[in-house]
Amino acid sequence: LVSNIFNQFCITDVIHFAAESHVDNSITNSEVFFTTNVLGTLNLINTAKDFWKDCRNKFSYHRFHHISTDEVFGALPLNSPLKFNENTPYDPRSPYSASKAASDHLVRAYHHTYGLPTLTTNCSNNYGPHQFPEKLVPLMISRAVQGKALPIYGDGKNVRDWLYVKDHCNAIREVLARGRVGEVYNIGGNSEKNNLEVIETLCNILNKLRPRKEPYQKLMSFVTDRPGHDRRYAIDATKIKKELNWSPKENFESGLQKTVEWYLER
């Protein structure tokens, strides 16, 4: 199927987003994560390699852009200045991040072995319109407007760097167009927030946009933490800013405001 698509549409570039991505699901069923994230990547990259090798005279420019995650780098201590950069050693802690790390290594190997023009970006937590409803932000919005409990893992102090989805897409366009082949670029929102801060901010927005008798904060509820829950991720996006002049346009508050409004309208 993938080979037929390449031939029918004369594919010049691949931006490989496809992945099983929810850590909770990888803990309960890891097999599908490796089938999709590793074997799926192998299928795409093998097809691209073979097709582009046979089509060099049709077009001279092609790239395989692999979308990855900051989770491959492991975890950082709380209250630390340390951040993940492109040279941070890999230290995946969940079946999900292990499968993504494997696919990252595969993409690098195809560049070095076959000369395939690859690019890899490792991004922080995305949020925004159209996100699958099991993810934190849309899940909390959905449960809040239904008056259901807002479950918070552990003590709620696990920190992530939050990146508005349109900023991520703009970064991908820049890397695809102007990034150096074979390179890795970290993409971050420069917005470190713990889960409590995220949900508190979301509740404040909902209190204004769709008020109820009691503030939405009353729905917040602590639940048992998930196994192996990494404490903190943070991205150093210096490289992409320096080389491609990219930086996020949205801060966390403005991006979350737009996100909540989008979901409430629908």
Side-chain angles (χ1 to χ4, degrees):
L1 174 64
V2 175
S3 180
N4 287 340
I5 289 170
F6 268 77
N7 281 287
Q8 180 180 354
F9 297 101
C10 199
I11 302 298
T12 58
D13 301 277
V14 174
I15 308 176
H16 176 26
F17 287 97
E20 295 284 348
S21 66
H22 198 49
V23 174
D24 287 11
N25 294 340
S26 81
I27 293 170
T28 57
N29 180 16
S30 60
E31 184 175 353
V32 68
F33 281 73
F34 285 85
T35 300
T36 297
N37 298 353
V38 182
L39 296 180
T41 300
L42 180 65
N43 187 27
L44 273 176
I45 203 166
N46 267 332
T47 306
K49 173 179 68 69
D50 294 340
F51 180 72
W52 290 338
K53 181 177 67 176
D54 295 336
C55 294
R56 292 183 190 275
N57 56 353
K58 289 186 180 179
F59 45 82
S60 59
Y61 180 94
H62 47 263
R63 291 185 168 191
F64 189 100
H65 185 157
H66 177 62
I67 310 298
S68 190
T69 170
D70 56 2
E71 297 198 35
V72 299
F73 299 122
L76 295 166
L78 290 175
N79 305 315
S80 166
L82 294 175
K83 294 186 177 185
F84 299 135
N85 61 47
E86 288 79 5
N87 296 315
T88 300
Y90 274 36
D91 185 21
R93 306 290 188 91
S94 69
Y96 161 62
S97 57
S99 69
K100 290 298 291 182
S103 64
D104 290 6
H105 291 315
L106 183 62
V107 170
R108 287 191 183 91
Y110 267 59
H111 172 69
H112 289 289
T113 302
Y114 302 107
L116 196 72
T118 65
L119 297 152
T120 299
T121 49
N122 295 81
C123 73
S124 58
N125 274 35
N126 277 213
Y127 69 97
H130 297 288
Q131 192 168 29
F132 197 68
E134 69 183 0
K135 300 294 186 178
L136 179 65
V137 169
L139 178 65
M140 293 299 112
I141 296 171
S142 174
R143 292 185 68 89
V145 297
Q146 295 177 72
K148 295 180 178 179
L150 307 180
I152 303 166
Y153 278 138
D155 61 8
K157 295 183 180 179
N158 300 75
V159 173
R160 300 294 183 262
D161 177 11
W162 291 89
L163 174 66
Y164 188 61
V165 64
K166 290 188 178 181
D167 282 327
H168 187 196
C169 290
N170 287 333
I172 289 167
R173 289 191 183 97
E174 293 299 322
V175 172
L176 184 69
R178 302 191 289 119
R180 290 183 290 138
V181 165
E183 290 293 315
V184 176
Y185 295 89
N186 280 358
I187 306 172
N190 195 31
S191 294
E192 287 187 59
K193 304 288 180 183
N194 67 39
N195 288 342
L196 279 174
E197 291 175 299
V198 172
I199 298 171
E200 181 76 30
T201 305
L202 190 152
C203 287
N204 286 334
I205 295 170
L206 285 170
N207 287 333
K208 295 177 181 177
L209 296 180
R210 188 169 289 184
R212 59 198 297 267
K213 289 182 178 179
E214 292 188 319
Y216 286 92
Q217 283 85 345
K218 292 284 188 179
L219 298 172
M220 294 168 66
S221 173
F222 292 94
V223 298
T224 303
D225 207 353
R226 76 180 179 210
H229 198 175
D230 291 338
R231 249 347 213 175
R232 174 174 168 256
Y233 305 146
I235 284 283
D236 178 355
T238 301
K239 181 177 178 179
I240 191 172
K241 179 174 177 59
K242 183 177 179 181
E243 291 193 15
L244 304 178
N245 196 32
W246 175 90
S247 58
K249 294 180 180 178
E250 299 289 346
N251 60 41
F252 181 71
E253 288 72 19
S254 67
L256 194 61
Q257 176 80 24
K258 292 180 178 180
T259 301
V260 173
E261 289 173 353
W262 188 91
Y263 280 101
L264 290 182
E265 287 172 2
R266 288 156 181 82

